[in-house]
């Protein structure tokens, strides 16, 4: 690939996926984050704090990326702060790159909260979205940092003349340590603790999630769509949902995950039973497991993010995603979700993240 790429949030779950895809395709890849830990081999690190405009200006001075993949966010206490901080990060970066004037395309990763509403509203809001969610659905009438990030991209695109694409994954499956939201490694850590202690692997979510249809997004398929949209004229200036291409029910998937780990599973038991409470006392057990099995991360909370798994699995509706928009334009990649979990668990075991 003859592009010079800048992956922003390169050590996160989405950023690592697109970094690997770009490296595999032979692109020149720069990866921006504060710390280099977890950076994909073949990526050149750009250290910068997106909350500090001066730092970002200095860090990108002299860099001339043609394609920017924006895959980061910073979790704040409420949506008003999420908007200020996360839209600000997009603006700071695009303003800094505007000076070099070389950017041709910006791809922004947001997510299904575009349709469901932000975390502090989506479970509680009275209006539930139509599913499967489709790109054509209008924005909800509530503030959402994804909308503000999109608006920053649209404004900068008008100013600087680049094309853009927006990508909306469902829950992402992939490897990242110390990141904010990772259902795959959360379930892997929880199942490993169940195995160690003899506890049952209990579904923490709602009846709607247990019985209803769902889908997910492997970081590798998200990466393929990002590269496809950013390098294919037909796809430019569009917003695209992105999921693996299959659907499943948690009542089907949960026992399969339990089986992979060799633990006894327990399904929906009449009410939501949050994983955050279930795992609340597990940090010391994990520390002991890390020492016993030589694991690379002794801090459970850098591997597991149960608060996020709870929010996903306790939704009061089934949530799945229409993929027709990118399919119509020729994006045909597919990934089995069960294989996505198994591939991740295998990688986590090989890399000594789990026993
Ligand atoms: N994870 C999911 O399941 C999921 C599902 C659907 C949608 N999404 C969306 O996908 C987008 C990307 O999220 P993600 O989950 O991939 O993120 P993530 O895994 O938490 O990674 C965040 C990345 O950004 C970097 N970063 C964080 N704060 C920074 C700062 N102030 N300055 C510079 N770099 C910073 C982090 O590295 P450092 O900490 O070293 O800086 C890391 O590389 C978000 O909009 C998210 O809502 C995620």
């Amino acid at each position: 690939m003859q592009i010079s790429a800048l992956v922003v949030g390169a050590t996160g779950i989405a950023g690592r996926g697109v970094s690997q895809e770009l490296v595999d395709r032979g692109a020149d890849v720069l990866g921006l984050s504060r710390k280099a830990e977890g950076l994909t081999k073949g990526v050149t690190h750009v250290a910068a704090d997106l909350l500090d405009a001066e730092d970002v200006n200095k860090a990108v001075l002299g860099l001339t990326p043609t394609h920017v993949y924006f895959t980061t966010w910073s979790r704040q206490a409420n949506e008003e702060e999420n908007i200020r901080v996360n839209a600000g990060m997009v603006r700071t970066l695009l303003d800094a790159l505007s000076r070099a004037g070389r950017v041709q395309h910006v791809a922004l990763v947001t997510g299904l909260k575009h349709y469901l509403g932000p975390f502090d509203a989506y479970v509680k809001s009275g209006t539930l979205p139509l599913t499967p969610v489709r790109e054509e659905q209008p924005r909800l009438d509530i503030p959402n940092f994804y909308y503000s990030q999109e608006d920053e991209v649209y404004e900068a695109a008008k100013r600087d003349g680049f094309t853009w694409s927006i990508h909306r994954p469902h829950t992402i499956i992939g490897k990242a340590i110390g990141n904010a939201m990772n259902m795959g490694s959360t379930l892997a850590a929880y199942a490993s603790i169940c195995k160690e202690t003899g506890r049952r692997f209990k579904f923490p979510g709602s009846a709607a999630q247990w019985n209803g249809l769902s889908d997910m997004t492997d970081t590798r398929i998200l990466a393929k769509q990002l590269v496809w949209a950013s390098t294919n004229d037909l796809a430019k200036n569009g917003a695209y949902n992105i999921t693996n291409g299959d659907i499943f029910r948690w009542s089907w998937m949960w026992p399969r995950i339990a089986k992979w780990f060799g633990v006894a599973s327990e399904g929906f038991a009449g009410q939501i039973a949050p994983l955050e409470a279930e795992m609340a006392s597990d940090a010391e057990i994990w520390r002991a497991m890390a020492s016993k099995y030589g694991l690379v991360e002794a801090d459970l909370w850098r591997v597991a993010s149960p608060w996020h798994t709870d929010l996903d699995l306790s939704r009061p509706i089934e949530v799945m995603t229409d993929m027709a928009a990118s399919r119509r334009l020729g994006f045909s990649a597919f990934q089995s979700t069960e294989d996505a979990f198994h591939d991740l668990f295998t990688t986590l075991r090989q890399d000594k993240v789990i026993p």
Side-chain angles (χ1 to χ4, degrees), residues 9-15 32-35 48-51 71-74 89 109-113 145-146 149 169-172 176 179-182 308:
T11 58
I13 190 167
L32 187 148
S33 56
R34 289 166 300 185
K35 301 177 292 298
D49 183 349
L50 290 163
L51 303 178
T71 69
T72 184
W73 78 301
S74 175
M89 295 206 294
V109 176
T110 66
L112 291 199
K113 290 192 289 293
F145 83 81
Y146 285 166
Q149 286 189 313
H170 199 168
T171 311
I172 301 175
N179 78 318
M181 309 186 289
N182 194 328
H308 166 250

Side-chain angles (χ1 to χ4, degrees), residues 76-324:
Q76 304 298 313
N78 55 50
E79 200 57 17
E80 197 184 325
E81 275 301 291
N82 271 332
I83 290 170
R84 187 183 67 75
V85 167
N86 289 291
M89 295 206 294
V90 175
R91 190 182 327 120
T92 296
L93 180 84
L94 296 182
D95 284 356
L97 292 175
S98 180
R99 295 186 188 106
R102 290 283 304 280
V103 175
Q104 295 169 19
H105 187 92
V106 174
L108 170 70
V109 176
T110 66
L112 291 199
K113 290 192 289 293
H114 182 93
Y115 310 105
L116 303 172
F119 277 137
D120 56 6
Y122 83 164
V123 182
K124 295 163 209 145
S125 77
T127 35
L128 296 172
L130 288 175
T131 58
V133 293
R134 292 175 203 276
E135 295 87 341
E136 71 202 27
Q137 285 168 216
R139 287 180 174 186
L140 301 174
D141 193 18
I142 41 176
N144 187 325
F145 83 81
Y146 285 166
Y147 304 162
S148 307
Q149 286 189 313
E150 281 187 3
D151 292 342
E152 293 294 341
V153 170
Y154 301 151
E155 280 304 308
K158 261 190 249 155
R159 177 190 67 199
D160 295 343
F162 55 74
T163 54
W164 50 267
S165 54
I166 311 291
H167 303 265
R168 299 179 187 147
H170 199 168
T171 311
I172 301 175
I173 302 176
K175 185 184 164 191
I177 306 282
N179 78 318
M181 309 186 289
N182 194 328
M183 186 192 280
S185 64
T186 301
L187 297 184
Y190 174 44
S192 303
I193 290 169
C194 289
K195 176 106 180 152
E196 184 72 9
T197 58
R199 272 156 51 191
R200 294 170 82 78
F201 183 64
K202 289 192 228 159
F203 181 74
S206 62
Q209 282 290 308
W210 180 252
N211 296 313
L213 288 168
S214 192
D215 51 26
M216 292 184 78
T217 306
D218 190 301
T219 187
R220 295 168 296 189
I221 207 154
L222 169 60
K224 285 192 173 73
Q225 198 197 51
L226 284 161
V227 173
W228 167 79
S230 62
T231 55
N232 188 319
D233 282 344
L234 274 178
K236 287 175 179 166
N237 300 336
Y240 303 104
N241 294 336
I242 174 64
T243 54
N244 290 339
D246 59 0
I247 47 174
F248 66 92
R249 296 179 204 278
W250 278 105
S251 56
W252 180 86
M253 185 69 84
W254 195 259
R256 277 173 165 70
I257 294 177
K259 189 166 174 220
W260 197 91
F261 285 95
V263 293
S265 83
E266 192 175 305
F268 177 69
Q271 56 185 7
I272 291 171
L275 192 57
E276 203 167 15
E278 168 75 14
M279 295 182 75
S281 310
D282 287 344
E284 281 316 305
I285 295 171
W286 186 261
R287 197 165 286 285
M289 286 168 65
S291 148
K292 180 172 165 188
Y293 299 109
L295 304 183
V296 291
E297 183 53 71
D299 180 353
L300 176 59
W301 310 126
R302 284 180 48 79
V303 180
S305 39
W307 68 273
H308 166 250
T309 298
D310 281 336
L311 279 169
D312 264 22
L313 296 182
S314 65
R315 292 165 182 161
I317 49 165
E318 58 179 10
V319 179
M320 45 9 201
T321 315
D322 183 74
M323 278 288 293

